[in-house]
Amino acid sequence: MNNVNGAASACASFDITVSGYAGSYGAAKACIEETKCPDGIREDIWNRLTAWAEKMLSAYETSVKTESIHKLLWEIGEKKYGFAVKVRDIPIHQEAVEICEALELNIYELESADLEVKISAYPYPEGYIRIGEIIPGRDKLIINGEDVSCMNRPGQD
């Protein structure tokens, strides 16, 4: 239970939960579309990432494609909910992160597959993990370690 705002808070028991991995589908697509090994990346590492990308695209072939996690979170805020999300709790594949670093992409802005973000009460639905909480007001807060910032509109880095 969220005790940050006290039990009397109207939002005290609702969390943001997620099922799936953010940005992996978009990172895999971007990797496959890249015709050569990016500068600064060893060829053997890029080959490993390309093999991972091919495997992921095959696994996601029949999956439901979704927008970026950034857009999905923004839509929660558009429903007049405030939230605080811990970036480090968002599930991502390490290979997708490496691809995004090599191609200078933001993993949180990339298309996903089989990703669902929703507001849940504890106990959470099976397969979902908590990444944040609903808070009073309309602030969309992103927490990265000690840093707290307001979320920008999707597409605006």
Side-chain angles (χ1 to χ4, degrees):
M1 178 150 107
N2 171 2
N3 291 319
V4 173
N5 298 309
S9 172
C11 301
S13 63
F14 294 102
D15 293 318
I16 296 183
T17 59
V18 65
S19 173
Y21 291 89
S24 292
Y25 179 73
K29 274 184 21 181
C31 179
I32 298 302
E33 291 169 358
E34 187 65 30
T35 58
K36 61 181 179 60
C37 180
D39 292 337
I41 303 295
R42 289 187 356 218
E43 190 79 30
D44 62 319
I45 292 174
W46 190 249
N47 289 339
R48 177 181 57 82
L49 294 174
T50 301
W52 175 86
E54 289 171 349
K55 180 177 147 188
M56 292 308 295
L57 289 179
S58 177
Y60 285 141
E61 190 172 5
T62 60
S63 299
V64 174
K65 309 313 183 274
T66 61
E67 299 175 281
S68 70
I69 192 163
H70 188 166
K71 181 98 165 70
L72 295 173
L73 288 170
W74 188 264
E75 288 172 359
I76 288 174
E78 290 292 298
K79 295 176 184 168
K80 310 229 186 298
Y81 292 108
F83 59 78
V85 168
K86 293 182 180 178
V87 168
R88 295 178 185 177
D89 289 345
I90 297 172
I92 51 178
H93 285 112
Q94 179 59 37
E95 293 85 353
V97 171
E98 292 175 35
I99 291 167
C100 288
E101 288 175 356
L103 300 177
E104 298 181 356
L105 300 172
N106 180 343
I107 194 165
Y108 304 108
E109 291 284 347
L110 294 178
E111 183 180 18
S112 298
D114 287 341
L115 178 75
E116 275 192 77
V117 178
K118 65 182 181 177
I119 297 171
S120 302
Y122 189 81
Y124 308 129
E126 187 173 336
Y128 284 78
I129 63 166
R130 179 186 190 274
I131 62 169
E133 62 190 350
I134 298 298
I135 60 174
R138 298 205 47 206
D139 290 338
K140 299 168 195 68
L141 303 177
I142 302 297
I143 302 166
N144 188 3
E146 297 295 317
D147 296 330
V148 178
S149 59
C150 289
M151 177 184 264
N152 293 328
R153 277 188 194 283
Q156 296 179 352
D157 281 337

